Each structure stands twice: as structure tokens, then as C-alpha cells.
Amino acid sequence: MFRSSNPAMNESVFDRVGRSSSASTDVMTINGSITKTAILLAIAFITAAFAWDRFYPADSAQSGFGLLIICLIASIVAAMVTIFKPTAAPIIAPIYAAFEGVLLGIISAMYASSASSVDPQTGQQSAFGPGIVINAIMLTFGVLACMLIAYRSGLIRATEKFKIGVVAATGAIALVYLASIVMGFFGASIPMIHSSGPIGIGFSLIVVIIASLNLILDFDFIERGADYGAPKYMEWYGAFGLMVTLVWLYLEILRLLSKLNRR
């Protein structure tokens, strides 16, 4: 059961979809999953660029909060539909990518606007600004490339112990975030983890590492799906699952850079 901490990448999905009964050209392949992932990323980039152009700089970033909530709800619904109905992945996964792109564009605009604001104490403007987003994007794809090389070379293997460890760590992080959200409703928060102090930066760094290791589980899922002979539409499903992890990784890197900027 401990195949992946990403709910979309749990290998029990193969028990539900079974093997392809068609010709060999109608089965899931690694190259096909890579192509579908590139398509989803391209969709997300286009919609993110639209949102960035609309809601950056600082005087308009906050006005996108309503659209942010709409896209957040829509992306969650799209993700749930894809997870529970993998056959819909070829249609729903691009829709999910589009909503996530707008969501990331607005969040990125907010972070960049905050990073480029003037310090009220010193009167100086931060030099980070939009650079925080560019750096986060570059680091995200850099981590993706490094994890892929490490996986393909066998430097990091997705053993059962490795999977259990990553799943447990990811679950712990999810519980911390959930507790933080619940406490926020009552005007409280978990001390220091959201601050720009050493503990807050250290926490974000750990989360980035755990998110990066989840990529290994996603690669393993796609490879196992291809070996299993899963249906062709599972390429979209695998690309969707990888997209979920990349979105999480990008947001955590953005948070880490924001904390470093505040120091």
C-alpha cells in the first residue's frame, strides 16, 4: 500500500484499470508519459503567464484573490475526478493544468510583489522582486533533472523502505500544514515554522527535500505502469500525478526563497 505519498500515484490504481487488452501501441509507455507531462507543463505555463500579466505588480496582485479561490477549488475538483476516474485523465488532466497555471500565476505575482516591496524601516526596496519567481522555476526544473538522473542511474532506488519513509515524512508534513490551517481559524499558528528565522528556513528546506524525493516515487510509478502494460490513457494519469508533485515542489521552493529574502 505504501507505493507513493502522492494520492494520484498509488499503485492500487493498476488493480482498478488492469492491463491493456489492445495492441502494444495502445499501452502506457515512459516516452508517452514524458510527452503528456510536457503538454501539461506547457498549458500551465500559458495560463500562469496570463495570470502573471494580469495581477502583477503589487497594486493588482491582491485583487486576484477571488480568482485564486475559484481556481483552487476547481483544481481540487479536477484532481479528485482524475484520481477516482483515471479513464477521464486525457480530458481532465489538461483542465487541471490550466487551473493550476492560473493559481500559480497569481500566487507567484503575490510573492514577487511582496519581495519587491519597500522595507518600512530602512526605506530600501528589495532587489529580489520578480527574480524570486524566476529562481523558483529554475530550481524546480533543476531538482526535477537531478532527481531524474539520480533515478535513472540507480543512485536513488525506490525500495519499499524508501517509499515508506517518504510517505511517512509527507504525511507528517501534511498533518503539520493541516494543524496550521485549523489553528489559523482561531487566530493562532504553529510557532516559528512560517517565520524567516533559522527554524522556519530549516523547516522549509526539509519540506523541499521531501517534495523532491516524491519525484522518485512518481518516476517509479510511471516506469511500473509501463512495465505492467497499463492502458494508454494512463500516460495522462502519470503525467497528472507528476504535475501534482511539481506544483507542490515549486510552491515550497517559492516559500523558502521568500523566507530567505525576508532575512
Side-chain angles (χ1 to χ4, degrees):
M1 61 186 292
F2 294 103
R3 291 299 185 183
S4 176
S5 51
N6 184 336
M9 295 301 221
N10 193 301
E11 288 190 12
S12 63
V13 70
F14 294 136
D15 296 330
R16 288 188 283 130
V17 303
R19 289 183 170 87
S20 175
S21 58
S22 304
S24 58
T25 55
D26 293 327
V27 299
M28 178 181 183
T29 64
I30 295 176
N31 288 337
S33 297
I34 293 174
T35 301
K36 304 311 189 290
T37 302
I39 294 173
L40 295 185
L41 288 174
I43 294 172
F45 266 113
I46 292 172
T47 55
F50 163 79
W52 173 272
D53 182 66
R54 173 66 180 81
F55 295 107
Y56 185 81
D59 57 354
S60 60
Q62 296 300 325
S63 64
F65 188 75
L67 181 59
L68 185 149
I69 297 299
I70 293 174
C71 289
L72 175 61
I73 295 174
S75 61
I76 291 175
V77 172
M80 291 298 100
V81 171
T82 304
I83 290 172
F84 288 104
K85 191 175 179 58
T87 54
I91 298 174
I92 304 300
I95 296 175
Y96 166 83
F99 281 120
E100 279 294 330
V102 176
L103 184 69
L104 293 178
I106 297 174
I107 293 176
S108 298
M110 290 179 175
Y111 269 100
S113 299
S114 176
S116 60
S117 60
V118 177
D119 190 322
Q121 296 181 350
T122 64
Q124 296 180 343
Q125 187 174 17
S126 171
F128 224 150
I132 191 175
V133 175
I134 297 174
N135 290 338
I137 293 173
M138 293 177 63
L139 286 171
T140 299
F141 282 100
V143 170
L144 173 64
C146 290
M147 290 296 102
L148 182 57
I149 292 173
Y151 177 75
R152 296 299 294 174
S153 66
L155 184 62
I156 301 179
R157 298 184 181 277
T159 64
E160 290 303 312
K161 289 184 179 180
F162 176 87
K163 294 176 183 178
I164 292 173
V166 174
V167 169
T170 305
I173 292 169
L175 289 176
V176 170
Y177 280 154
L178 179 61
S180 179
I181 293 173
V182 173
M183 292 173 65
F185 290 129
F186 300 96
S189 63
I190 300 177
M192 295 181 283
I193 67 169
H194 300 298
S195 70
S196 57
I199 294 179
I201 292 175
F203 175 78
S204 288
L205 184 59
I206 291 173
V207 176
V208 167
I209 293 173
I210 298 303
S212 302
L213 293 177
N214 269 271
L215 291 173
I216 299 296
L217 304 190
D218 297 342
F219 298 151
D220 181 69
F221 175 91
I222 292 173
E223 186 173 42
R224 287 176 179 269
D227 293 340
Y228 182 79
K232 191 71 173 178
Y233 62 79
M234 288 298 292
E235 292 177 350
W236 286 102
Y237 189 89
F240 156 74
L242 186 57
M243 183 83 180
V244 171
T245 302
L246 286 173
V247 167
W248 177 35
L249 177 61
Y250 169 76
L251 290 175
E252 293 299 343
I253 290 177
L254 198 59
R255 281 169 51 86
L256 175 59
L257 292 179
S258 178
K259 290 179 180 179
L260 291 173
N261 179 60
R262 292 202 302 268
R263 288 184 64 85

